[in-house]
Amino acid sequence: MLARRTKALFYIVAAPLMRANGLVYRLLLAPRTGSIKVQLGPGQKNYMPGWINVDANMFTGKCDVWADLRFKLPFRDATIDVFYSHHTIEHLPDLAFHFHELYRCLKPGGCFRVGGPNGDMAIRKFQEGDSNWFIDFPDSRRSLGGRFENFIFCRQEHLTILTYSWLAELATESGFVEIKQCQPGKETSYPEWIDQAVLAMEPETTPDCPHTLLIEGRKPGPNE
Ligand SMILES: C[S@@+](CC[C@H](N)C(=O)[O-])C[C@H]1O[C@@H](n2cnc3c(N)ncnc32)[C@H](O)[C@@H]1O
């Protein structure tokens, strides 16, 4: 992981360039027709062929569009069929704005699947005193509280705690319907978009007590 200061400096320097690049892409290059699948934050290993992959990191990972997800997404209104993001939204400072952006860009009837560190399960495991559930990433800690803090805040890289009710509130307030929590790697209401290749990117060491909280939702169709 990059040191926090290095990352902060990167965003100070690169944010205006990423905003400009995102704007140019949205106005001139973003596809307007056809079926369009977008992954936000593929990172170093999760680039998905056939999808438009958007990330700030084009140095150690691969992406198709270099843009800053803290700002307006680089797509036109009502042009996207599906958004997918895995362990990315917890890095964004304004989730209400981000969910509105997902809604703006999706076609009527389009859907999203997003999620990250499972705050509900972390709280449960903390209360149960189950120290072994917490992983040694990014740091190794001995105490239950230390392991809890490590999981939730990840060296202050994470800006929020993801719980189902919080994500459902954000999605509902943006206008989404049929919001559901899904089992990572297994469950989806949208198999036509979220196929086996996508589910394979959601490994879980403890499937009954998942480390990742994922939700799906849909923008109402034209006649709803
Ligand atoms: C923890 S990684 C997750 C990678 C991958 N999705 C996974 O599940 O392994 C978070 C990703 O989100 C990207 N990201 C975080 N904040 C971002 C921002 N403001 N703009 C664009 N990308 C961002 C990072 O560059 C990184 O690739």
Side-chain angles (χ1 to χ4, degrees), residues 7 11 18 39-46 54-57 67-70 85-88 90-93 158 201:
K7 199 171 257 187
Y11 275 100
M18 286 194 280
Q39 177 177 205
L40 303 173
Q44 295 181 359
K45 294 190 222 137
N46 287 359
V54 185
D55 208 301
N57 178 7
D68 191 338
L69 302 175
R70 295 176 300 174
S85 78
H86 186 254
H87 287 265
T88 296
E90 67 275 14
H91 297 267
L92 305 179
H158 298 170
M201 294 195 312

Side-chain angles (χ1 to χ4, degrees), residues 42-64:
Q44 295 181 359
K45 294 190 222 137
N46 287 359
Y47 181 89
M48 297 204 285
W51 292 60
I52 299 175
N53 297 268
V54 185
D55 208 301
N57 178 7
M58 62 165 178
F59 307 101
T60 61
K62 184 177 173 188
C63 63
D64 304 301

